[in-house]
Amino acid sequence: MPLQAVMIVVDNSESSRNGDYQPSRFDAQADAINIVFESITQSNPESSVGLMSMGGKGPEVLSTLTTERGKLLDGLHRTRKKISGSSHLATGIQIASLALKHRQNKSQRQRIIVFVCSPVADDEKKLVSLAKKMKKGNIDIDFVLFGDLDDDDVEKKLGAFNNAVKTNENSHLIVIPPSGKLLSDQLITTPILLGEGAASGAGGPAEVGGDFGDFDFDPSTDPELALALRMSMEEENARQAKAAKEDDDAANKTNLEGIQEEGEDQPLLNDQGEPSGSGSSQDKKDNKKDDGDKMDTS
């Protein structure tokens, strides 16, 4: 994964109490957020992750961008006591984008991952307008829509947002219906964690194909192994790139050391015992004689 600054938005609305994901939708999010944090920071130690909620009385920043897992866990613990109300999706995304502007490393790629398990009150036109604003600001937006929702308009609204914001498939809409699998296990096999090698499938977890080199297996059967292989491959690619760069630098240094400056191998004194490069004594005498032959016309 590239160097990133990621804000994760958790849905702590009243709908997150639902038990279609054991033990609840909120706890399923907490487990998935832990996996997302681990994947981002292990892929690039200089990447940072922040956390905020969008339910209750309104969006709240729980942790600014950090590399410390404990700050996110503390934020989730505090939010568990504030599960109520409805989600404020548009406002939450706007606040998350402001938090990204305060990132210390401006070379970090901006990204927002939003977990949605409740109805979305914002109208589609407002969301599309916000998506265009995020696209203009070069902010990638990923949605994780999960749970058995009665409102079919939620996926439609998020789909419209995704179509307006994505550039080169950098933003994703992942739809994960209830099943016997953990939310975190299903999330591991999606493009959000696996990158562009995975293809998102509407209505279910993303499928991965041809992304593990010589490892021919279905990542959905063992998500943890898929994530471990992905990280191992990225680390090996980074190691090889670093080694190649060091070899190039060493070769360039050797070539420069072999180049001699002009006159570097010339002796300090010539055969007459005079400094080399200053001309012979005979040349000096000839020059002096020429000066004496010149007529003074003044």
Side-chain angles (χ1 to χ4, degrees):
M1 289 185 181
L3 179 63
Q4 301 180 92
V6 183
M7 284 298 298
I8 301 177
V9 184
V10 61
D11 189 343
N12 63 320
S13 64
E14 193 65 33
S15 296
S16 65
R17 296 184 186 275
N18 196 300
D20 52 353
Y21 274 89
Q22 295 297 325
S24 69
R25 291 180 181 176
F26 182 84
D27 290 307
Q29 291 178 86
D31 181 46
I33 289 171
N34 190 40
I35 296 296
V36 171
F37 176 87
E38 182 179 0
S39 174
I40 292 173
T41 54
Q42 285 193 6
S43 296
N44 195 320
E46 295 185 8
S47 293
S48 55
V49 183
L51 179 68
M52 64 173 294
S53 60
M54 65 175 182
K57 297 181 180 180
E60 177 185 359
V61 176
L62 306 172
S63 172
T64 55
L65 294 169
T66 181
T67 57
E68 300 179 23
R69 186 199 305 264
K71 292 184 178 181
L72 269 65
L73 296 178
D74 179 65
L76 288 170
H77 178 71
R78 288 185 281 112
T79 306
R80 186 174 279 105
K81 303 175 182 178
K82 301 179 182 179
I83 297 177
S84 63
S86 58
S87 63
H88 305 82
L89 180 64
T91 306
I93 292 175
Q94 289 175 319
I95 294 177
S97 67
L98 291 175
L100 289 174
K101 287 185 177 181
H102 291 86
R103 66 194 188 282
Q104 294 182 348
N105 188 349
K106 298 302 181 182
S107 63
Q108 288 176 320
R109 182 172 164 181
Q110 301 177 88
R111 186 180 182 193
I112 300 174
I113 301 176
V114 187
F115 287 85
V116 181
C117 64
S118 61
V120 175
D122 303 297
D123 61 70
E124 184 175 322
K125 184 177 180 180
K126 178 180 179 180
L127 291 174
V128 170
S129 177
L130 177 59
K132 293 178 179 179
K133 182 179 179 181
M134 295 296 105
K135 182 178 181 178
K136 187 177 181 180
N138 294 320
I139 301 177
D140 299 333
I141 311 288
D142 293 323
F143 289 112
V144 180
L145 176 61
F146 70 103
D148 188 9
L149 301 180
D150 296 330
D151 189 359
D152 295 333
D153 287 339
V154 176
E155 184 175 347
K156 181 175 178 292
K157 291 178 180 179
L158 297 184
F161 188 107
N162 178 254
N163 290 331
V165 75
K166 64 182 178 182
T167 303
N168 299 325
E169 302 298 329
N170 288 332
S171 298
H172 309 92
L173 168 59
I174 306 300
V175 182
I176 305 178
S179 69
K181 298 181 179 179
L182 295 174
L183 175 63
S184 57
D185 285 349
Q186 298 183 73
L187 190 61
I188 286 174
T189 61
T190 66
I192 293 180
L193 295 187
L194 290 180
E196 300 309 315
S200 58
E207 296 180 358
V208 182
D211 195 48
F212 294 94
D214 296 331
F215 300 99
D216 184 17
F217 77 104
D218 181 5
S220 62
T221 60
D222 196 338
E224 292 184 0
L225 177 59
L227 181 60
L229 286 174
R230 176 71 178 184
M231 291 181 176
S232 177
M233 292 172 64
E234 290 179 350
E235 290 175 358
E236 178 62 18
N237 291 336
R239 186 194 66 78
Q240 291 180 0
K242 182 180 179 181
K245 185 177 183 301
E246 290 176 350
D247 291 342
D248 291 340
D249 293 342
N252 293 334
K253 184 178 180 181
T254 302
N255 292 336
L256 290 175
E257 289 177 348
I259 299 175
Q260 294 182 337
E261 295 184 5
E262 184 178 356
E264 185 178 349
D265 57 349
Q266 187 175 356
L268 297 177
L269 299 177
N270 58 20
D271 296 339
Q272 287 76 32
E274 296 179 347
S276 59
S278 59
S280 64
S281 58
Q282 184 64 36
D283 293 338
K284 291 182 180 179
K285 290 179 181 179
D286 292 342
N287 291 337
K288 186 177 290 187
K289 181 179 179 181
D290 291 341
D291 292 342
D293 290 341
K294 291 181 180 178
M295 182 179 294
D296 186 3
T297 59
S298 60

